[in-house]
């Protein structure tokens, strides 16, 4: 068996609906199912290599795996369903492996009220015994149907599209049996590599991806010292019973552990159901019912087991059925605590990650508005800080004089009707008829150097902070308002 490994980079947003329904809330998958890559190959094999179609597409000898988000050169995996964490806590702080807990009924665990991890992907680092969470970025857009006769949008036909954001990188594999020739392997690789389209709305702006060959590490497996085998579902699993009906309770033989017995009370199994769309026939196939990826089976009474990973069940050619036996990342200590600890992604890695892809140009208007609001908020914060410092340090020289409240009100009125720093300073200080330079106000403002304190504060603050005319006006208005309230015994 040969394994071909690829990297899939999203060049545009990609839509992969979780359900076939066209009405209601539509969510996108956070991975690319293997049947999308099978479809890419099928589109060329039938046209140019029809004699190889049976071997490549239908015999199960070529298996197109699911593409999972990549982080730091590692293909992430669905969060194992056997991971539990305390209620009101997080698996990043405290994580337990369910089948490794010796006593689930202990008082300590009852108090913690363990909850199951269910969503997201984890990138495991076996050399550091750590894991990092991977959250694919998504986007939501509203679209409308086009009326070709009236050259405008159709009435009452609005659609919501949730998509995976462009820039996301995913890793996937294609397994090819050794019974097939090298030419077949090279053909499969050549048909996949390049710019392709996947998902829905490919005729619109969605679905463009670029596929290239790459190498990445596989999860490390460990040999257990007991007769148990831990089976982790890397992909979704589908099994049929002896009557040909879908079943959620496979046998140990179906899981690749002949002679064993599944310990259901230690296993954590989640299920799924969906109806696939056949583009060639333009209709739906029968519903597929199976076991969700991330599920964990515990199989007992298995001796001398040496398997690492394989494909089991049905529809293996479409990426269903991959399992990993005894993965090291499911190891635990004597109390059931996970041996792997959470590690936050480093900043450079996060910047290089596809998850931090640049925003498209269509968001530039919104981004410019947000940047303007951010600058405005930062400017106001600086003004309020300066005002608060003056009120805290200098207001003692004005307190106890009721008449100052009205004079601060006049200063506020002057600043409100003028537009520049020069005009405001001139109206207050720098002319013979300036408000603080003549009349009754002048005498009171000369006591305790009040006028000099205010003038020095305004000039030095404007210079140090580099305030514009608009910001200087706001500084004087807010300062006068706060001083008036302070003198009156307000806030």
């Amino acid at each position: 068996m040969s394994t071909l490994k690829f990297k899939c980079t999203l060049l545009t947003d990609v839509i992969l609906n979780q359900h076939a329904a066209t009405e209601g809330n539509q969510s996108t998958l956070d991975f690319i199912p293997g049947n999308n890559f099978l479809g890419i190959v099928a589109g060329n094999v039938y046209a140019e290599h029809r004699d190889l179609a049976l071997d490549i597409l239908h015999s199960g000898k070529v298996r197109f795996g699911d593409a999972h988000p990549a982080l730091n050169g590692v293909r992430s995996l669905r969060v194992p369903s056997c991971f539990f964490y305390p209620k009101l806590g997080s698996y990043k702080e405290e994580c337990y492996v369910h089948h490794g807990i010796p006593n689930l009924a202990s008082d300590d665990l009852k108090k913690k009220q363990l909850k199951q991890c269910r969503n997201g992907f984890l990138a495991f680092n076996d050399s550091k015994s750590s894991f990092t969470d991977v959250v694919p970025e998504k986007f939501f857009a509203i679209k409308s149907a086009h009326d070709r006769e009236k050259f405008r949008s159709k009435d009452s036909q609005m659609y919501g599209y949730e998509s995976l954001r462009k820039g996301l990188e995913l890793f996937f594999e294609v397994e090819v049996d050794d019974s097939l020739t090298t030419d077949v392997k090279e053909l499969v690789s050549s048909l996949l590599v390049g710019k392709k389209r996947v998902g829905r709305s490919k005729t619109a702006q969605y679905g463009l991806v670029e596929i290239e060959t790459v190498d990445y590490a596989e999860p490390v497996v460990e040999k257990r010292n007991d007769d148990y085998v831990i089976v982790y579902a890397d992909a979704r699993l589908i099994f049929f019973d002896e009557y040909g009906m879908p079943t959620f309770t496979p046998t140990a033989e179906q899981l690749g552990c002949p002679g064993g017995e599944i310990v259901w009370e230690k296993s954590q199994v989640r299920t799924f159901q969906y109806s696939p769309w056949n583009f060639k026939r333009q209709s739906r196939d029968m519903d597929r019912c199976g076991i969700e990826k991330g599920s964990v089976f515990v199989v007992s009474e298995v001796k001398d087991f040496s398997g690492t990973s394989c494909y089991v069940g049905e529809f293996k050619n479409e990426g269903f059925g991959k399992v990993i036996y005894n993965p090291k990342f499911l190891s635990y200590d004597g109390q059931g605590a996970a041996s792997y600890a959470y590690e936050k992604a480093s900043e450079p890695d996060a910047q290089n990650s596809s998850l931090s892809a640049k925003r498209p140009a269509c968001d530039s208007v919104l981004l410019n508005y947000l940047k303007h609001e951010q600058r405005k908020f930062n400017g106001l914060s600086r003004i309020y800080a300066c005002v608060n410092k003056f009120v805290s340090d200098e207001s003692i020289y004005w307190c106890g004089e009721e008449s100052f409240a009205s004079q601060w009100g006049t200063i506020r009125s002057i600043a409100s009707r003028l537009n520049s720093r020069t005009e405001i300073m001139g109206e207050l200080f720098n002319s013979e008829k300036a408000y603080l330079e003549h009349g009754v106000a002048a005498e009171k403002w000369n006591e305790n150097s009040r006028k000099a304190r205010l003038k020095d504060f305004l000039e030095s603050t404007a210079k140090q902070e580099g305030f514009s005319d608009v910001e200087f006006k706001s500084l004087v208005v807010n300062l006068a308002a706060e001083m008036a309230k302070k003198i009156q015994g307000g806030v």
Side-chain angles (χ1 to χ4, degrees), residues 422-438 451 455:
T422 304
E423 291 175 336
I424 295 173
M425 292 300 288
E427 193 76 11
L428 293 177
F429 304 101
N430 301 335
S431 67
E432 294 182 358
K433 294 185 178 180
Y435 175 65
L436 300 179
E437 295 290 347
H438 73 284
K451 183 177 66 178
K455 187 176 181 180

Side-chain angles (χ1 to χ4, degrees), residues 344-358:
K344 186 178 180 181
S346 60
E347 195 66 25
D349 293 335
Q351 290 177 358
N352 294 331
S353 169
S354 59
L355 306 184
S356 59
K358 294 181 179 179

Side-chain angles (χ1 to χ4, degrees), residues 3 30 145 161 165 175 191 222 229 233 254 290 361 469 486:
T3 302
D30 49 9
Y161 284 123
R165 293 304 303 271
E175 278 194 2
L191 292 178
E222 61 179 2
V229 174
Q254 289 178 308
D469 286 342
K486 184 73 176 180

Side-chain angles (χ1 to χ4, degrees), residues 246-316:
T247 177
F248 296 131
T249 56
T251 63
E253 287 76 12
Q254 289 178 308
L255 290 176
C257 304
E261 183 176 350
I262 298 176
V263 185
W264 290 106
E265 59 270 25
K266 287 183 175 292
S267 302
Q268 294 295 323
V269 179
R270 304 186 64 210
T271 62
F272 73 91
Q273 177 180 1
Y274 82 103
S275 178
W277 173 259
N278 189 298
F279 181 81
K280 186 69 176 180
R281 296 198 299 271
Q282 288 292 299
S283 63
R284 306 190 195 287
D285 287 342
M286 70 174 185
D287 281 5
R288 290 182 176 178
C289 307
I291 295 167
E292 189 58 89
K293 58 174 61 186
S295 298
V296 176
F297 294 89
V298 179
V299 185
S300 66
E301 301 179 7
V302 182
K303 297 181 180 179
D304 300 327
F305 187 85
S306 59
T308 56
S309 68
C310 71
Y311 282 79
V312 299
E314 309 298 329
F315 306 110
K316 292 191 283 289

